[in-house]
Amino acid sequence: MYGIDPITELEGLVIESRGGTKKSPNYRNPGHSLLLAYVLKKIQNANISDLEIYVASNSSNYKSIDDRKVLYDGDFKINLNSITDFESFLKSIKKSIKQSGQKKGSTGGNSTKRITLFSKTANLKDLFTSDVEVQLNKQTESELEYIYQRIKKRFRQSRFRKELLEAYDNTCAITGSKVIDLLEAAHIQPYDGAYTSVVSNGILLRSDIHDLFDSQKDGKRLINISVDYKIEVHISLENSEYWGYNGKDIKLPKEIINYPKFL
């Protein structure tokens, strides 16, 4: 998320990761690692030369904001333009974050690592609501690529999603699901800058429905919505659980002005 972090009192990009034990299935936390890689790579591609990283965990181990600074090569102001080996850089940063705030003799980091990324010269908020493409080194696990795609989608739709959640009363327009963590803002006309992220050019969908709405086969969406707000499921999904939605009406927003505009 982007905002003013109450711990560091800095306005920047805040990333939080909850750790666990080796017995926990979330011990490796691949989603957080990939998110951090995505963010740092995107900042590097944007030629930002004064990145500052702070550990924003709520811990008594930190006596001042200086204690929270994450160092790279002995400097807390990081010039990503000078990084030639991104993987080594990423490992160094992750190690510094893990070791931050450790008491002498401790072998592990905090169970919760919350970090704030800050730049005096660059607008990180605009950077992470744009549609700049970022390429990371290929991962060996296919699920990491899926997480990466979900992260990209979430980054550029935070405000848009909030407006659609309000318009649709926190309900998927097709399935009726009210599980907020699964609801996403789908663009009807493809994203092409902030002017396309308006409520009437969007629809609130459960994440799997959103993927099908964005996917095509034979030139048709796998799940489409007609101009009269009828759900159209592609014939290739006839034997799936999604076929039951075919021909049904979508849930419309509370206000007519927010009704989605389909061609």
Side-chain angles (χ1 to χ4, degrees):
M1 68 177 183
Y2 184 90
I4 298 177
D5 174 60
I7 301 295
T8 62
E9 298 183 345
L10 294 171
E11 183 176 0
L13 187 70
V14 181
I15 302 175
E16 183 170 3
S17 167
R18 295 194 177 276
T21 66
K22 291 184 178 180
K23 294 181 180 180
S24 168
N26 295 321
Y27 175 69
R28 292 181 61 208
N29 205 347
H32 175 262
S33 295
L34 191 61
L35 173 57
L36 181 61
Y38 169 74
V39 168
L40 292 176
K41 190 64 176 177
K42 191 166 187 177
I43 290 173
Q44 182 185 41
N45 285 0
N47 298 317
I48 294 174
S49 59
D50 67 338
L51 178 68
E52 299 174 27
I53 304 176
Y54 297 82
V55 175
S57 299
N58 188 10
S59 170
S60 60
N61 293 349
Y62 300 98
K63 304 304 179 185
S64 69
I65 193 169
D66 286 340
D67 292 340
R68 297 179 176 277
K69 293 175 180 177
V70 174
L71 300 180
Y72 177 68
D73 279 350
D75 196 350
F76 76 92
K77 198 178 291 289
I78 304 170
N79 179 4
L80 277 87
N81 295 325
S82 67
I83 306 300
T84 57
D85 186 342
F86 183 79
E87 289 302 317
S88 295
F89 163 70
L90 181 61
K91 288 179 181 178
S92 177
I93 290 298
K94 289 165 68 175
K95 183 178 179 181
S96 294
I97 292 172
K98 181 179 179 181
Q99 293 177 342
S100 174
Q102 285 185 12
K103 292 183 178 180
K104 191 173 182 180
S106 173
T107 59
N110 294 337
S111 60
T112 299
K113 280 299 186 190
R114 192 165 180 267
I115 60 173
T116 299
L117 293 91
F118 170 77
S119 169
K120 287 184 178 179
T121 63
N123 190 329
L124 296 182
K125 182 178 182 181
D126 285 353
L127 177 64
F128 286 99
T129 53
S130 69
D131 196 29
V132 177
E133 290 296 325
V134 174
Q135 296 296 325
L136 294 176
N137 290 339
K138 290 184 178 180
Q139 305 294 319
T140 57
E141 298 178 49
S142 60
E143 61 266 29
L144 294 188
E145 176 62 21
Y146 178 77
I147 295 170
Y148 169 54
Q149 297 300 334
R150 300 243 61 80
I151 289 166
K152 287 207 302 183
K153 189 179 290 185
R154 286 296 182 97
F155 257 125
R156 66 172 183 252
Q157 67 166 262
S158 56
R159 181 177 177 181
F160 184 42
R161 177 175 180 265
K162 188 177 296 184
E163 292 173 346
L164 283 171
L165 284 169
E166 169 65 23
Y168 284 83
D169 194 25
N170 300 330
T171 306
C172 171
I174 288 180
T175 67
S177 173
K178 290 182 174 289
V179 182
I180 292 180
D181 286 345
L182 297 179
L183 301 182
E184 297 179 351
H187 287 87
I188 297 171
Q189 300 304 315
Y191 177 85
D192 189 25
Y195 76 95
T196 56
S197 290
V198 293
V199 173
S200 60
N201 188 46
I203 184 168
L204 191 69
L205 299 176
R206 196 174 67 194
S207 58
D208 59 324
I209 301 293
H210 187 181
D211 288 341
L212 294 170
F213 183 78
D214 285 347
S215 301
Q216 293 191 5
K217 187 171 184 178
D218 304 325
K220 296 181 180 179
R221 294 182 191 267
L222 291 182
I223 288 187
N224 189 42
I225 299 170
S226 68
V227 293
D228 58 348
Y229 307 122
K230 297 286 185 182
I231 302 167
E232 300 173 340
V233 181
H234 196 278
I235 190 64
S236 64
L237 299 177
E238 185 176 12
N239 295 320
S240 74
E241 66 271 29
Y242 299 105
W243 190 252
Y245 298 115
N246 192 45
K248 293 187 176 180
D249 295 319
I250 67 167
K251 170 185 169 58
L252 289 165
K254 296 177 289 185
E255 305 290 339
I256 295 178
I257 193 173
N258 291 328
Y259 279 18
K261 294 180 180 178
F262 294 97
L263 298 179

